[in-house]
């Protein structure tokens, strides 16, 4: 096949690539070699009969699959409590919204993507405080 089409430079791509790399490392693929990663050859540090290795070999996955990006759509905050979104799975559009409904979806996704519950609580508190009292533009 020809050269791979470039991927969008977005957090969605980076997140999927990071998850893919972690999955390959957890499965024991050798990521240090050029080309597609392979399961390591039998040696004293690798149990040739581990359940994971047997499962991967049985599925024909001695060579790691290539990374494939699955587009889940786009979200864009445009200011003044409004946003745009285009939700899709791959090339299949699900829905498009603009305005306050899209902004609610944007905020929901933003909160759920936070790794720590503490961060979610702090962000939610900041949003509520800003809604109640506005932005503080005072200078020290």
């Amino acid at each position: 096949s020809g050269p791979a089409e470039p991927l969008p430079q977005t957090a969605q791509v980076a997140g999927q690539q990071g998850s893919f790399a972690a999955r390959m490392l957890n499965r024991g693929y050798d990521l240090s070699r050029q080309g597609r990663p392979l399961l390591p050859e039998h040696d004293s540090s690798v149990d040739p009969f581990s359940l994971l290795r047997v499962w991967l070999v049985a599925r024909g996955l001695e060579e790691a699959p290539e990374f494939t990006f699955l587009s889940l759509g786009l979200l864009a905050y445009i200011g003044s409590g409004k946003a745009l979104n285009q939700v899709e799975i791959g090339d299949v559009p699900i829905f498009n919204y603009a305005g306050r409904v899209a902004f609610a979806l944007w905020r929901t996704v933003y909160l759920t993507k936070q790794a720590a519950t503490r961060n979610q609580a702090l962000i939610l508190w900041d949003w509520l405080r800003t809604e109640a009292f506005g932005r503080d533009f005072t200078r020290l």
Side-chain angles (χ1 to χ4, degrees):
S1 68
E5 201 172 304
L7 297 173
Q9 296 181 4
T10 64
Q12 187 180 151
V13 173
Q16 287 183 25
Q17 287 174 327
S19 295
F20 178 79
R23 194 167 43 257
M24 295 302 103
L25 288 169
N26 287 334
R27 289 180 178 177
Y29 285 101
D30 179 10
L31 301 180
S32 64
R33 65 182 295 277
Q34 292 293 326
R36 288 179 47 192
L38 296 173
L39 286 173
E41 296 296 322
H42 303 294
D43 63 22
S44 60
S45 67
V46 176
D47 177 10
F49 299 107
S50 75
L51 186 58
L52 177 61
R53 184 178 180 84
V54 169
W55 179 76
L56 290 169
V57 170
R59 293 187 60 210
L61 294 173
E62 295 89 353
E63 183 178 70
E66 288 185 20
F67 171 76
T68 54
F69 170 63
L70 176 65
S71 175
L72 300 175
L74 304 167
L75 294 170
Y77 174 64
I78 57 174
S80 300
K82 295 180 183 167
L84 305 169
N85 69 43
Q86 177 182 22
V87 177
E88 61 190 22
I89 298 177
D91 292 333
V92 179
I94 306 298
F95 59 81
N96 299 316
Y97 285 116
R100 297 215 178 268
V101 171
F103 182 61
L105 179 64
W106 181 87
R107 279 197 162 175
T108 302
V109 170
Y110 188 86
L111 272 180
T112 59
K113 289 293 185 180
Q114 300 304 310
T117 306
R118 179 180 183 270
N119 289 351
Q120 289 176 335
L122 288 172
I123 290 167
L124 191 56
W125 172 250
D126 185 56
W127 288 344
L128 291 171
R129 185 184 46 161
T130 301
E131 195 66 34
F133 302 109
R135 289 270 170 218
D136 183 8
F137 288 108
T138 60
R139 302 209 182 238
L140 296 177

